[in-house]
Amino acid sequence: MAFKGIKTKDRHIQNLAGIVDGSRSILYHKEDLIAYDCDGFTIHKHLPKAVVFPKNTEEVAEIVKYCAKHHLPFLARGAGTGLSGGAVPLNSEVVISLVRMKNLISIDLENRRAVVEPGFVNLKLTNSISDKGYYYAPDPSSQYCCTIGGNVAENAGGAHCLKYGVTTNHILGLEVVLPDGEVIELGHNGIPDAPGYDLLGLLTGSEGTLGIVTKITVRILKNPEAKKTVLAYFDRVADGSQAVSDIISAGIVPAALEMMDKTAIEGVEAAAFPVGHPKDIAAVLLIEVDGIAAGIDEQIAQILEVCKNRHVREVREAANEEERARWWANRKTGFGAMGAISPDYLVQDGVIPRSRLPEVLDRIEEISAESGLRIANIFHAGDGNLHPLVLFDARIPGQTEKAIDAGSACLQACADAGGTITGEHGVGIEKREEMRFVFKEEEITAQTNIRQVFNPDNLLNAGKLFPTPGRCGEVKKEMKEALLTQ
Amino acid sequence: MRQVEEKPSPACTSAKSLSNYLWSDHPDENKWADCTHCGMCLESCPTYEQTGQEQHSPRGRVHLIKSVAEGKLEVNTQFMDPVYACLDCRACTTACPANVDVGGLIEEARGQIRQAMPLTGWKGSVSKLFLKGLFPHPNRLNSLGNVLKFYQKSGMQKVVRKSKLINIMPDHLVEMESIMPKVDTSVRKKYKNENVIKSTQPTKNEVALLTGCVMDVMFSDINESTINVLTRNGSDVSIPKNQTCCGALHVHAGDRDTGRKLAKQNIEAFESSEKVIVNAAGCGCMLQEYGELFREVEPEWHDRAVAFSKKVEDVSKYLHDTGYKKPKAALNKRITYHDACHLAHGQGVRREPRNILLDIPGVDMVHMPNADRCCGSAGIYNITNPEMAGDVLESKMKNVPDDVDMISMGNPGCMLQMAIGVQKYGRNQKIVHTVQLLDWAYQKEDGEVADNGI
Ligand SMILES: Cc1cc2nc3c(=O)[nH]c(=O)nc-3n(C[C@H](O)[C@H](O)[C@H](O)COP(=O)(O)OP(=O)(O)OC[C@H]3O[C@@H](n4cnc5c(N)ncnc54)[C@H](O)[C@@H]3O)c2cc1C
Ligand code: SF4
Ligand code: SF4
């Protein structure tokens, strides 16, 4: 049956259009599809077969059933802000966009939880409850746009996760469409710690390879009674990192403890939200403490003391909410700001033990020198989550490959320091190979066996998260070849 | 009905073409080079909000425009849709951490599309009538104004409305008809024999006023108010005779040639003025971007255009920066403020008009959530894309607080669109321009009006 307004004979497109109820809810022209050929990770691009926009769980389940029956690869997509290529349709997938499922279903202040659809944007949750004195804690820098469904898939973290934990610590229940179309509920009535296996934990952070999340029950928190924010400027990176360690050793758990190095400062100052950081500074720390009003001043005094002992050049406390908001906007738009000083960037996402910060940073500086590419560092210093940003220009032949290698070398440095290869951005396509830095072949197989249980035909988001067994090195090579033919 | 036809490529491809962009003045590579594809602009975009589709988002549009340059897409109808569905509201420019000039890219892409696929059908005729036949010709607009005036005064309007003739007009035109402002005498006509309208105070500054084409015909009282507040605060005002339409509508529609023609005329008309004051945000924004038009074509005009742009300032910012007297009489009204896109996102003017309103005694300012969200007017967008414009307007109206008497703003296009909104959703707010409120407060102070009906 030809569906009204659908200008193609492809029967799959016709049938999918039937499920989502018409031409306004499906894209299949090349010109439209090209907007879906990548996400925030732009090195690998591929056109999807189609993009469908379901409006409820039933439609998602129907689409999935259809794809499973006809052996069409498919994947879920939220806002497409992912930084590891999780939403890139490598196998010409049918992309199931969840952005039209963007309702806030319910708020239950008494039990401190809210239920949202997967396309609901992270920041909107806090905005909807802030007047009542509540907020949603996980705050990835992309929170203005990324979806909570995408956050669950990537187990997103954020600046304030040092004290409050990452997404997984705030998920109480999920409704999931499994790769065969079955709809299941995990987490009973939002009561945490159900007996049996922790399937909520397994699903959270599974990068869209085990199922499609269609409803999420999250924990919401009461606003802290008081909050103070401080900027500290250091002439030496080592002093800044040492100060970070000292603050934590002093027993203070700041709500956020962020750091940017000189190149990163150059970027944010050249971009949309400059705050006037001194240009000649080696590192800036953004420190926020919150909690009961009584303890705050004392903590701030302690932090100032620590900074002084580490030869801080200048410390400033935010004078008012407006200034505080400006500092955060400056920090949170940090990745995008690199566009102002470099045509392209590759963001890496390593984690290291805090105490090894200075030496890893030294190593990154060496990598930068060896590759001839500038590397800016923005990081959640409090939990040792580094974001080296490799700056390059894809138009210059050879630079992209160099950037990929430099990025990989940064991750190797993190792994060597006893850390790991991703803190919050996920593995996706980008870090499939680097999984071998931290897992043995058997450990990887054990995990793909789990995927097999949920996703036996591997139709859902194939080719992500794990390296293909025994093809060490080849995938990286493939990636480079793909680049050259683009 | 097909509205476009594909025109053969230019016989000899110009040296300045770029891959599938066949004409010069094509989208500027340096503009998209800044885009890191981060997606931080998505939620700012009203068309993405409505559709959830990324080709209708700033990031998607930039990506599409770049893809044509890379030879992956061609300039065709399917490419045209997302590029023309953009409201040109510039909210993405504010949101983008890398300062990508999405609006500039869109306008350049439209220029290419219009050359590749000239408009035909009724859209072609309407666009020709308005863009080529009317806007560049203030005199013709004036006579159109006279027709409108006649239409309103003669009672014909009443007849039309009563006789249900209106029922045969397309919905969005009916909506427009019903909120058509009362047409008064244009200030260009009124002051045509005066070289300078002297300040009523000792002169501090001399400024020239852009009267705007639509503004002066449909909203001449706002121009009148602008002159009043300027002269009351020490500025002598001149109205250069040869000035013309700013060209924004043409440039938005992809007709960059006419845009350049009008730009040159304005650059010359205001050559001897130190300061050019504008009270229509859309025009102000255009005047401040004339340099873009001469990036590749007629580059000898580029520097002049840039120098001209530097002189252009919105009236609220000018008053704010040069100082104005706080009115003494009170206007006891509850007022909310709508940020016109081309003022807030286009010129970064947000604080100034609000401060002016706060300086009027008796004004109770009520916060409007998402005040800088587009109302859907966007030049003639509400005529060319009525459906999307209607959806965007609906979201806007949801944010207008219930209990206010007036909605103040700084752009005539928004005023028309918001007036449609007020009527369509059964609200009862009066739509006013910020300088009008200031002017009325002064008049009240002088005892010239009892309460001016406001
Ligand atoms: C400027 C910038 C800053 C960022 N900062 C941070 C940060 O501070 N912390 C952080 O953790 N991340 C950060 N990110 C990465 C990214 O924003 C997060 O990974 C986010 O969670 C992705 O959400 P999304 O809606 O964009 O998902 P998408 O990018 O659309 O998808 C990401 C993955 O999730 C899967 N997925 C999406 N929705 C669903 C669903 N409903 N069910 C199942 N699978 C799904 C997709 O298949 C894909 O594999 C940043 C990104 C950018 C561009
Ligand atoms: S100008 Fe407005 S409508 Fe156009 S892409 Fe930007 S935000 Fe969207
Ligand atoms: S336009 Fe700006 S905000 Fe949007 S994707 Fe590009 S860099 Fe990011």
Side-chain angles (χ1 to χ4, degrees):
Chain A
M1 179 200 71
F3 209 87
K4 196 170 154 256
I6 302 289
K7 296 186 199 113
T8 166
K9 293 214 173 67
D10 186 322
R11 81 192 154 94
H12 292 314
I13 307 268
Q14 292 284 353
N15 293 335
L16 287 167
I19 297 173
V20 290
D21 172 34
S23 59
R24 285 172 158 246
S25 304
I26 186 164
L27 302 174
Y28 52 90
H29 288 294
K30 185 167 129 206
E31 288 78 5
D32 297 331
L33 295 180
I34 221 163
Y36 291 85
D37 71 0
C38 67
D39 54 14
F41 175 68
T42 56
I43 290 187
H44 223 91
K45 297 193 179 96
H46 207 286
L47 282 186
K49 176 174 179 61
V51 186
V52 285
F53 299 86
K55 58 180 177 302
N56 53 40
T57 306
E58 292 72 51
E59 286 187 2
V60 175
E62 283 306 308
I63 295 164
V64 169
K65 276 186 200 147
Y66 185 87
C67 290
K69 184 169 163 204
H70 297 276
H71 230 78
L72 296 173
F74 59 99
L75 60 79
R77 180 176 174 113
T81 66
L83 291 169
S84 51
V88 178
L90 277 183
N91 315 288
S92 307
E93 274 88 351
V94 170
V95 170
I96 304 176
S97 167
L98 294 144
V99 297
R100 288 197 189 159
M101 291 172 64
K102 57 175 177 182
N103 288 310
L104 172 56
I105 299 172
S106 64
I107 302 173
D108 173 3
L109 292 181
E110 217 175 343
N111 293 302
R112 301 212 176 160
R113 62 194 180 192
V115 183
V116 299
E117 289 188 327
F120 194 66
V121 168
N122 176 302
L123 186 63
K124 287 198 174 158
L125 182 51
T126 292
N127 287 347
S128 327
I129 52 181
S130 62
D131 58 333
K132 302 179 188 83
Y134 290 83
Y135 75 112
Y136 176 59
D139 62 338
S141 304
S142 50
Q143 68 182 144
Y144 307 95
C145 296
C146 65
T147 67
I148 295 185
N151 293 167
V152 171
E154 297 288 355
N155 190 16
H160 291 80
C161 292
L162 172 59
K163 182 166 174 182
Y164 295 99
V166 293
T167 301
T168 192
N169 304 108
H170 300 264
I171 300 300
L172 299 173
L174 294 176
E175 178 188 82
V176 183
V177 176
L178 295 177
D180 61 358
E182 188 192 345
V183 182
I184 59 162
E185 292 257 3
L186 299 175
H188 187 64
N189 283 336
I191 296 165
D193 275 341
Y197 293 120
D198 178 13
L199 294 178
L200 271 183
L202 177 61
L203 256 293
T204 309
S206 61
E207 303 196 12
T209 62
L210 301 183
I212 298 182
V213 175
T214 47
K215 200 159 64 177
I216 305 143
T217 307
V218 298
R219 189 196 304 282
I220 54 182
L221 302 181
K222 192 117 182 78
N223 282 339
E225 194 181 293
K227 204 183 287 187
K228 274 204 171 147
T229 313
V230 172
L231 277 185
Y233 296 113
F234 292 87
D235 289 307
R236 284 171 5 126
V237 176
D239 283 335
S241 1
Q242 208 49 60
V244 171
S245 288
D246 293 355
I247 291 171
I248 309 278
S249 330
I252 304 168
V253 185
L257 183 39
E258 300 284 301
M259 187 167 179
M260 290 189 281
D261 74 353
K262 194 172 170 141
T263 312
I265 294 172
E266 184 190 329
V268 292
E269 288 299 301
F273 302 97
V275 301
H277 297 311
K279 287 211 168 54
D280 59 337
I281 211 76
V284 55
L285 284 186
L286 177 58
I287 311 161
E288 188 160 283
V289 288
D290 67 7
I292 6 179
I296 297 268
D297 286 338
E298 204 179 305
Q299 288 188 25
I300 288 281
Q302 248 180 312
I303 288 172
L304 296 187
E305 190 58 36
V306 167
C307 290
K308 277 200 197 101
N309 290 340
R310 293 293 168 191
H311 321 290
V312 69
R313 187 199 291 187
E314 189 194 335
V315 256
R316 270 202 284 160
E317 211 178 287
N320 48 39
E321 183 53 32
E322 196 187 331
E323 185 163 50
R324 178 183 168 272
R326 217 174 34 244
W327 290 357
W328 275 115
N330 172 276
R331 161 60 191 88
K332 289 201 173 182
T333 53
F335 295 172
M338 293 305 134
I341 56 167
S342 169
D344 298 279
Y345 72 84
L346 183 73
V347 51
Q348 278 303 357
D349 176 36
V351 184
I352 49 165
R354 248 182 330 260
S355 59
R356 312 281 297 265
L357 216 60
E359 76 189 78
V360 173
L361 285 179
D362 285 346
R363 174 67 195 125
I364 291 178
E365 212 171 298
E366 279 168 30
I367 296 169
S368 167
E370 287 159 15
S371 64
L373 297 175
R374 299 216 290 163
I375 303 182
N377 287 291
I378 294 189
F379 39 85
H380 309 308
D383 35 32
N385 185 186
L386 296 196
H387 292 311
L389 296 136
V390 185
L391 309 184
F392 68 103
D393 187 342
R395 292 171 301 186
I396 301 175
Q399 279 223 342
T400 312
E401 293 79 15
K402 267 195 195 148
I404 296 176
D405 288 343
S408 183
C410 291
L411 292 183
Q412 182 75 62
C414 294
D416 291 349
T420 186
I421 57 162
T422 171
E424 49 186 25
H425 298 167
V427 175
I429 308 175
E430 186 198 16
K431 292 185 278 275
R432 289 179 298 196
E433 277 312 302
E434 283 79 1
M435 285 291 262
R436 296 187 201 275
F437 294 173
V438 283
F439 291 114
K440 294 200 209 57
E441 198 69 38
E442 308 86 79
E443 291 167 324
I444 292 174
T445 311
Q447 297 184 71
T448 48
N449 285 346
I450 297 176
R451 179 172 68 189
Q452 208 55 22
V453 174
F454 284 83
N455 188 8
D457 298 331
N458 209 8
L459 285 176
L460 174 60
N461 216 1
K464 312 280 170 71
L465 194 51
F466 298 107
T468 328
R471 289 176 61 213
C472 209
E474 264 176 56
V475 182
K476 267 265 125 72
K477 202 170 123 241
E478 262 174 38
M479 213 153 124
K480 284 186 192 165
E481 278 163 6
L483 267 172
L484 295 174
T485 53
Q486 241 177 48
Chain B
M1 180 174 36
R2 238 175 110 73
Q3 256 123 37
V4 289
E5 64 184 19
E6 318 224 345
K7 207 168 102 172
S9 2
C12 88
T13 310
S14 131
K16 293 219 175 129
S17 66
L18 175 69
S19 181
N20 285 345
Y21 291 120
L22 303 178
W23 285 266
S24 56
D25 197 18
H26 54 70
D28 176 8
E29 281 170 277
N30 294 322
K31 290 198 181 96
W32 70 66
D34 291 346
C35 176
T36 57
H37 216 77
C38 68
M40 298 289 260
C41 48
L42 293 175
E43 286 295 310
S44 70
C45 177
T47 57
Y48 176 74
E49 181 189 25
Q50 295 303 330
T51 61
Q53 300 185 333
E54 289 203 30
Q55 79 279 20
H56 286 301
S57 77
R59 174 171 75 174
R61 289 180 172 124
V62 172
H63 197 46
L64 260 64
I65 290 171
K66 179 177 166 189
S67 298
V68 173
E70 287 172 347
K72 293 184 194 162
L73 294 183
E74 278 163 31
V75 177
N76 57 17
T77 331
Q78 208 62 42
F79 169 67
M80 179 178 85
D81 274 356
V83 173
Y84 269 86
C86 166
L87 292 150
D88 221 325
C89 72
R90 309 290 173 94
C92 46
T93 311
T94 301
C96 172
N99 284 327
V100 174
D101 180 7
V102 183
L105 278 172
I106 299 263
E107 285 173 359
E108 287 155 4
R110 288 180 179 177
Q112 298 286 311
I113 293 172
R114 269 303 148 263
Q115 293 185 77
M117 302 181 289
L119 281 174
T120 57
W122 71 269
K123 281 200 182 171
S125 325
V126 169
S127 123
K128 241 185 237 145
L129 168 70
F130 278 97
L131 297 182
K132 294 225 156 122
L134 278 175
F135 289 121
H137 307 285
N139 295 339
R140 288 191 211 162
L141 259 185
N142 253 328
S143 18
L144 177 75
N146 287 334
V147 175
L148 285 179
K149 218 178 341 183
F150 173 75
Y151 177 66
Q152 292 168 340
K153 294 220 166 124
S154 65
M156 217 165 97
Q157 188 172 37
K158 272 198 196 121
V159 177
V160 171
R161 285 182 185 176
K162 268 212 175 119
S163 69
K164 301 262 165 38
L165 226 121
I166 264 184
N167 293 345
I168 61 169
M169 293 207 241
D171 281 351
H172 59 280
L173 286 183
V174 175
E175 284 161 4
M176 293 275 274
E177 193 279 346
S178 58
I179 49 88
M180 218 145 58
K182 212 166 101 300
V183 177
D184 279 325
T185 310
S186 95
V187 299
R188 288 183 74 178
K189 249 183 169 170
K190 180 167 166 195
Y191 296 106
K192 70 169 184 274
N193 296 324
E194 290 176 54
N195 282 335
V196 177
I197 310 156
K198 292 297 280 181
S199 168
T200 53
Q201 309 293 315
T203 303
K204 284 194 296 191
N205 303 302
E206 288 167 15
V207 302
L209 180 67
L210 179 96
T211 55
C213 44
V214 188
M215 194 82 172
D216 205 27
V217 175
M218 309 261 264
F219 293 95
S220 54
D221 47 342
I222 298 172
N223 276 344
E224 195 71 60
S225 288
T226 306
I227 295 171
N228 290 348
V229 300
L230 287 171
T231 51
R232 190 174 185 111
N233 287 296
S235 295
D236 288 350
V237 180
S238 64
I239 304 178
K241 298 235 161 27
N242 278 331
Q243 62 173 293
T244 183
C245 168
C246 67
L249 297 181
H250 307 82
V251 174
H252 293 177
D255 180 2
R256 294 171 74 82
D257 282 339
T258 309
R260 272 184 283 271
K261 212 170 99 197
L262 297 172
K264 287 189 281 187
Q265 187 174 331
N266 277 328
I267 293 170
E268 279 174 340
F270 288 95
E271 199 93 78
S272 61
S273 316
E274 293 279 310
K275 187 68 83 204
V276 181
I277 299 297
V278 186
N279 55 18
C283 307
C285 198
M286 181 72 242
L287 298 185
Q288 288 177 353
E289 289 170 2
Y290 272 177
E292 282 291 312
L293 291 172
F294 301 102
R295 209 169 34 78
E296 273 194 356
V297 178
E298 301 180 77
E300 65 280 11
W301 278 83
H302 182 265
D303 292 352
R304 261 173 103 180
V306 171
F308 166 79
S309 294
K310 289 206 179 108
K311 304 192 288 193
V312 177
E313 199 157 81
D314 184 74
V315 59
S316 63
K317 179 164 172 32
Y318 173 78
L319 285 168
H320 190 266
D321 293 354
T322 56
Y324 55 91
K325 286 195 221 76
K326 291 186 189 178
K328 296 192 185 73
L331 299 181
N332 295 311
K333 296 289 170 197
R334 285 172 66 75
I335 297 179
T336 193
Y337 179 77
H338 157 70
D339 285 285
C341 296
H342 287 100
L343 207 49
H345 304 302
Q347 303 179 49
V349 175
R350 297 162 182 270
R351 211 162 32 92
E352 296 83 346
R354 287 185 170 84
N355 286 346
I356 292 179
L357 293 174
L358 285 169
D359 274 342
I360 302 174
V363 164
D364 184 5
M365 278 284 271
V366 182
H367 170 72
M368 179 195 298
N370 300 315
D372 63 355
R373 196 71 163 175
C374 183
C375 62
S377 152
I380 51 168
Y381 191 90
N382 48 9
I383 302 177
T384 53
N385 298 45
E387 218 171 298
M388 182 80 83
D391 291 346
V392 173
L393 176 62
E394 186 175 342
S395 304
K396 179 85 214 179
M397 291 311 291
K398 285 192 189 137
N399 284 314
V400 175
D402 278 329
D403 51 347
V404 293
D405 305 309
M406 297 181 174
I407 314 170
S408 173
M409 62 204 75
N411 195 37
C414 301
M415 293 178 73
L416 279 173
Q417 178 78 345
M418 294 295 280
I420 294 179
V422 164
Q423 190 171 53
K424 193 165 164 189
Y425 296 98
R427 311 287 293 268
N428 55 3
Q429 285 81 23
K430 218 180 149 100
I431 309 294
V432 292
H433 192 290
T434 311
V435 292
Q436 277 180 307
L437 284 165
L438 185 59
D439 182 33
W440 289 336
Y442 287 143
Q443 288 185 34
K444 204 167 163 193
E445 180 180 327
D446 297 345
E448 276 173 22
V449 280
D451 213 340
N452 204 359
I454 60 167

